[in-house]
Amino acid sequence: MATKEPKTNIVESSVEDKLRSLFSLQKVVSEIDKLRTLRGELPLEVQDLEDDVAGLETRISNLNSEVKELSDSIVLMKNKIKDAGLLIKKYEAQQSNVRNNREYESLSKEVEYQNLEIELCEKRIKEFNSEMKAKSVQSESWKEQLTGRKSDLTTKKAELEEIISETQTEEKRLVEKGKNIEKHIDERLLTAFKRIRKNARNGLAVVTVARDACGGCFNKIPPQRQLDIQLRKKIIVCEYCGRILVDSEI
């Protein structure tokens, strides 16, 4: 039985070639990050505006319902006033036919009670009208805000659609380019690159030395270590942040 030979897709390369491939891959994925960041901010803005629009529409709808309830209450109060007026006329007519003072006083109290009912209803009508006016002013204010938010939403959606159409093709091209570069990096090194990149705040796993410092965390790098980096004979990581270091001329 023939033994199964291990896969050897990656040709053994020098350390310098590995560093160049890693740095090239870093540049590609950084470009992808930029595209996704550009696109990533707009969807959040669109979502916020959609939430604002939905919230304003709900508030306006609730306010309209409250205004309708107040309007119905005013109609109810007016009907009560009308009913009270009819009762007053009825009681006053009955007062002409009473047999004694006690019946007259009883009817007078009923008339007084109905007059108080009318005063109370009129007071409530004024309160309801005042509330309706305040709510109408608030509704108009929210409607103006809603118009503005909808306009902003339309603009932002158009921007997002345009950016998506522009960036999707470029992102696809960069992703393919990145995959091609990955083919030239051995699995162990690629895994390390992805792990460092995942843990890095800005997504940088490979950085150049600039002004004698790490391009990722900006801590100073000793001269001898800088010389080793320039020689490109071994992969060197920053002792502070763990990023892979390359010289600026690579």
Side-chain angles (χ1 to χ4, degrees), residues 10-23 184-186 188-189 231-235 250:
I10 300 169
V11 178
E12 187 61 34
S13 56
S14 67
V15 172
E16 181 174 346
D17 289 337
K18 291 177 181 179
L19 289 170
R20 287 185 185 279
S21 294
L22 285 170
F23 189 57
H184 301 285
I185 304 172
D186 66 74
R188 180 187 58 80
L189 200 54
L231 290 173
R232 306 171 190 169
K233 297 297 182 183
K234 57 183 176 179
I235 294 174
I250 197 166

Side-chain angles (χ1 to χ4, degrees), residues 192 195-196 204-205 214 217 236-245:
R195 175 180 52 78
I196 297 169
L204 294 176
C214 168
C217 65
I236 297 173
V237 299
C238 175
E239 60 184 355
Y240 299 101
C241 66
R243 291 179 172 90
I244 298 169
L245 297 169

Side-chain angles (χ1 to χ4, degrees), residues 20-228:
R20 287 185 185 279
S21 294
L22 285 170
F23 189 57
S24 295
L25 180 59
Q26 180 63 66
K27 287 195 291 184
V28 169
V29 294
S30 291
E31 285 299 314
I32 294 173
D33 288 344
K34 286 180 184 178
L35 291 177
R36 289 176 177 172
T37 299
L38 179 65
R39 193 167 67 235
E41 291 171 356
L42 268 175
L44 291 176
E45 291 181 31
V46 168
Q47 183 62 57
D48 287 343
L49 285 168
E50 286 177 338
D51 291 343
D52 286 347
V53 166
L56 284 166
E57 287 177 338
T58 299
R59 277 181 275 174
I60 291 169
S61 176
N62 290 339
L63 205 59
N64 289 339
S65 296
E66 292 170 12
V67 169
K68 176 67 168 56
E69 288 177 6
L70 288 169
S71 179
D72 291 343
S73 296
I74 288 172
V75 172
L76 180 63
M77 292 299 106
K78 287 181 177 180
N79 287 334
K80 282 188 175 182
I81 290 172
K82 185 179 178 180
D83 291 341
L86 293 173
L87 286 172
I88 289 171
K89 287 181 180 180
K90 174 185 173 183
Y91 295 142
E92 286 176 341
Q94 288 176 352
Q95 281 179 325
S96 303
N97 301 313
V98 294
R99 289 169 295 180
N100 52 56
N101 287 338
R102 195 174 74 175
E103 287 182 4
Y104 186 87
E105 288 297 324
S106 176
L107 289 169
S108 294
K109 286 182 179 179
E110 289 294 338
V111 170
E112 184 181 354
Y113 175 78
Q114 294 304 323
N115 279 319
L116 288 173
E117 278 288 296
I118 290 172
E119 288 180 14
L120 178 62
C121 287
E122 288 175 341
K123 181 182 178 182
R124 297 301 302 275
I125 287 172
K126 287 181 181 178
E127 291 173 353
F128 292 153
N129 276 321
S130 179
E131 283 187 57
M132 283 178 66
K133 185 177 179 180
K135 289 181 185 297
S136 294
V137 171
Q138 181 65 77
S139 179
E140 288 304 313
S141 174
W142 283 344
K143 283 177 181 177
E144 287 181 13
Q145 291 181 42
L146 179 60
T147 300
R149 293 291 192 279
K150 282 185 173 180
S151 177
D152 292 341
L153 179 58
T154 300
T155 302
K156 290 295 181 183
K157 276 186 172 180
E159 288 179 18
L160 180 59
E161 288 172 4
E162 184 178 354
I163 288 175
I164 287 175
S165 65
E166 289 176 353
T167 59
Q168 274 184 335
T169 302
E170 178 64 8
E171 183 180 341
K172 186 177 179 181
R173 183 188 70 79
L174 288 169
V175 168
E176 288 301 317
K177 185 177 179 181
K179 287 179 180 179
N180 288 331
I181 295 172
E182 287 181 3
K183 293 176 182 177
H184 301 285
I185 304 172
D186 66 74
E187 190 175 340
R188 180 187 58 80
L189 200 54
L190 184 59
T191 300
F193 170 86
K194 290 180 178 178
R195 175 180 52 78
I196 297 169
R197 180 171 145 73
K198 183 179 179 181
N199 294 329
R201 181 178 57 83
N202 51 11
L204 294 176
V206 182
V207 294
T208 57
V209 176
R211 296 181 181 179
D212 303 327
C214 168
C217 65
F218 309 110
N219 279 296
K220 288 290 182 180
I221 299 172
Q224 182 56 52
R225 200 167 184 81
Q226 289 187 53
L227 181 60
D228 291 339

